Amino acid sequence: MIIQRVVLNSRPGKNGVPVAENFRLEQSTVADTIQAGQVRVRTLYLSVDPYMRCRMNEDTGSDYLLPWQLSEVADGGGIGIVEESKHSNLAKGDFVTSFNWPWQTVAILDGSLLQKLVPQLVNGHLSHFLGAAGITGLTALLGVREKGHVAVGANQTMVVSGAAGACGSLAGQIGRLEGCSRVVGIAGTDEKCTILVQEMGFDAAINYKKGNVAEQLRELCPGGVDVYFDNVGGDISDTVISQRNQNSHIILCGQISQYNKDVPYPPPLPPDIEKIRKERNITRERFLVLNYMDKQEASVLQLCQWIQEGKLKARETVVEGLANIGAAFQSMMNGGNIGKQIVSVSK
């Protein structure tokens, strides 16, 4: 069977900026028959995420992420429909997902590595299983619960950087649902800031490209910052940390401003900011959602309940066609999208 797939065409280099041309669309084939335990699936949706920038390097700098190989098919979060099954727990027509889904139109996969999906849990919006009800939502929810130390009635203020992104937009809402009394987002356009406030229930949002971020933070967070959901690192995070309260907490989710730089993860703070962190006893611990998979099932059900109740709103930027996945990746890394970046492969 002839299929289409996307392979890594070139590496941007550790300090390079990814471009669409780093990926290549090509034809390939898959077997016409499947073996015992396998399923043939047709790809419906693929997830494009910032962490994938590390996989473009020969060395990901991480012990849990493998690098993509040149001229080999890329992979990530994906959803598809079973077209043929020789696995006892999966049948034709089932919707399934995997964190290591190949970027191709049709694939033959080990059925034991797939998770069956229940579309009704997300009101039929399947792609939410890659975002708000998937690994992105889990990262936001478990990050807040495990590292944020949010307590109902404690009058805590949360700040979220990269707040219009897939994880940040959920984290701010979850912070509110978990008990924060005030949530402020930081984003890169007026449009994003408006969506955060009017649609997602943030109390306020700062366009970091306009005005003085430190002054706006002091105005919008007069009691200081208790919880910081950090998606970006760099100067923005240094500014937030300088206004942190004693014994406050940083949820170290991502450092997208540093992903095109050859620095360790998490990047060390500048000496003056590290001094503030220590003096104020601010926690800044690496957070990896994969360490909390024993809480996955209950957490996904909580996320789905909030989605069904309209308490958790998810934005998606959907790009049509496998041929455009490289451009979608480039746009995401440039901060051009709102919410989760999804590629719709086939209907």
Side-chain angles (χ1 to χ4, degrees):
M1 178 187 296
I2 297 175
I3 65 165
Q4 287 188 316
R5 68 177 193 172
V6 171
V7 303
L8 185 65
N9 186 52
S10 59
R11 301 189 191 277
K14 282 192 172 182
N15 297 302
V17 178
V19 294
E21 290 73 24
N22 291 134
F23 299 96
R24 182 176 77 247
L25 180 71
E26 62 180 27
Q27 282 194 341
S28 186
T29 59
V30 296
D32 292 326
T33 59
I34 62 176
Q35 306 300 314
Q38 292 183 329
V39 295
R40 186 178 75 246
V41 294
R42 177 165 51 90
T43 304
L44 299 177
Y45 300 104
L46 294 171
S47 175
V48 181
D49 301 286
Y51 82 87
M52 293 174 171
R53 172 62 184 86
C54 305
R55 301 193 68 189
M56 300 180 78
N57 297 333
E58 289 186 66
D59 179 5
T60 66
S62 167
D63 54 3
Y64 66 93
L65 287 177
L66 295 175
W68 287 328
Q69 299 302 315
L70 289 172
S71 296
E72 295 293 332
V73 66
D75 68 297
I79 291 173
I81 187 169
V82 175
E83 294 190 325
E84 183 182 358
S85 175
K86 289 189 177 180
H87 188 276
S88 58
N89 294 333
L90 297 172
K92 181 177 179 180
D94 284 344
F95 295 106
V96 291
T97 186
S98 168
F99 192 60
N100 300 109
W101 197 285
W103 287 7
Q104 56 192 59
T105 50
V106 175
I108 295 175
L109 302 174
D110 181 346
S112 66
L113 302 179
L114 299 174
Q115 180 181 354
K116 187 175 176 179
L117 299 175
V118 181
Q120 293 85 351
L121 289 176
V122 288
N123 300 323
H125 198 118
L126 271 175
S127 56
H128 279 340
F129 284 115
L130 294 178
I135 197 73
T136 308
L138 285 171
T139 300
L141 176 58
L142 291 171
V144 170
R145 286 184 170 176
E146 300 297 328
K147 298 295 184 180
H149 302 276
V150 174
V152 176
N155 196 32
Q156 292 165 300
T157 293
M158 170 188 273
V159 171
V160 184
S161 58
C167 196
S169 60
L170 299 172
Q173 297 177 75
I174 290 169
R176 169 83 75 203
L177 290 166
E178 291 290 286
C180 285
S181 60
R182 185 165 181 78
V183 179
V184 175
I186 302 174
T189 70
D190 289 343
E191 178 192 9
K192 291 178 179 179
C193 290
T194 298
I195 289 170
L196 289 173
V197 174
Q198 295 186 357
E199 185 177 315
M200 297 184 173
F202 284 61
D203 292 283
I206 296 169
N207 181 349
Y208 70 86
K209 296 179 181 179
K210 287 186 174 181
N212 185 299
V213 174
E215 289 179 359
Q216 293 177 78
L217 272 176
R218 279 191 289 271
E219 178 183 342
L220 295 173
C221 307
V225 180
D226 303 292
V227 184
Y228 174 40
F229 200 100
D230 186 4
N231 286 301
V232 303
D235 292 341
I236 294 294
S237 291
D238 295 345
T239 300
V240 177
I241 293 170
S242 68
Q243 297 190 31
R244 303 302 308 278
N245 288 329
Q246 194 76 21
N247 303 318
S248 56
H249 305 282
I250 298 170
I251 304 165
L252 192 58
C253 179
Q255 301 280 279
I256 195 169
S257 72
Q258 308 297 301
Y259 286 169
N260 294 327
K261 302 176 182 179
D262 186 12
V263 295
Y265 187 86
L269 297 171
D272 57 331
I273 302 300
E274 177 64 13
K275 182 180 179 182
I276 291 173
R277 189 196 69 79
K278 288 182 177 179
E279 288 176 347
R280 299 181 190 174
N281 192 34
I282 302 169
T283 64
R284 183 181 185 255
E285 302 167 343
R286 184 175 182 174
F287 170 71
L288 179 60
V289 70
L290 297 178
N291 291 337
Y292 300 92
M293 285 298 96
D294 59 316
K295 301 180 180 181
Q296 176 184 11
E297 185 176 354
S299 298
V300 168
L301 289 175
Q302 174 67 86
L303 292 164
C304 290
Q305 180 181 335
W306 282 336
I307 291 169
Q308 289 176 329
E309 294 172 347
K311 294 179 179 178
L312 187 63
K313 297 177 174 63
R315 272 268 186 157
E316 292 177 342
T317 301
V318 180
V319 174
E320 299 287 341
L322 188 62
N324 295 315
I325 199 166
F329 186 85
Q330 179 179 341
S331 175
M332 176 202 61
M333 291 302 296
N334 289 334
N337 62 302
I338 298 174
K340 183 73 177 180
Q341 181 78 70
I342 298 288
V343 175
S344 176
V345 178
S346 60
K347 298 293 185 185

